[in-house]
Amino acid sequence: QVHLVESGGGLVQTGGSLRLSCGVSGRSFSTYTMGWFRQAPGKEREIVAALSMNGVTTYYADFVEGRFTISGDDAKNTVSLQMNGLKPEDTALYFCAATMRNSVTAPFDYWGQGTQVTVSS
């Protein structure tokens, strides 16, 4: 069993930056495919970025357009999402998730509670 706790959300202006962090407990994050998802009001949850097992490869949704970076810290057992150039449409509840399947398209089994990101225009 793995426990995920997100932090780092907040309110920023358009063009600003935030760094989301996902604390992973129970097992090393590198034994999972890790993902960041988001859900805006009235919209379906969507994947933002993912980090494969052992941190070999990364995946980003098209809307990221080079603005976000997902990374892992072995020493802290955390997975972060650095978000730059934020836009109002990035406003959403952001979730950290994990799966033991080696695929970013497979269902994610473990979820955090989410952290709110609000971007003002």
Side-chain angles (χ1 to χ4, degrees):
Q1 186 75 14
V2 64
H3 186 56
L4 308 174
V5 179
E6 304 95 335
S7 61
L11 172 64
V12 295
Q13 293 184 334
T14 297
S17 298
L18 282 174
R19 186 177 182 84
L20 306 184
S21 183
C22 175
V24 182
S25 60
R27 292 179 61 171
S28 170
F29 75 84
S30 62
T31 62
Y32 298 92
T33 297
M34 299 296 301
W36 282 97
F37 291 75
R38 71 184 188 185
Q39 187 167 20
K43 295 187 177 182
E44 293 187 354
R45 186 170 58 195
E46 59 184 353
I47 190 168
V48 177
L51 183 66
S52 68
M53 291 178 176
N54 296 319
V56 174
T57 60
T58 56
Y59 164 86
Y60 296 96
D62 289 343
F63 61 77
V64 170
E65 299 176 324
R67 299 178 296 132
F68 300 172
T69 303
I70 188 171
S71 62
D73 186 325
D74 291 318
K76 297 180 179 179
N77 204 28
T78 58
V79 176
S80 297
L81 183 68
Q82 176 66 43
M83 304 189 295
N84 301 323
L86 285 163
K87 307 174 183 179
E89 51 264 44
D90 293 319
T91 295
L93 187 62
Y94 283 70
F95 297 91
C96 176
T99 177
M100 296 194 71
R101 302 172 183 86
N102 192 19
S103 171
V104 301
T105 60
F108 279 70
D109 304 302
Y110 307 101
W111 295 85
Q113 293 300 306
T115 184
Q116 179 67 38
V117 171
T118 303
V119 185
S120 64
S121 56

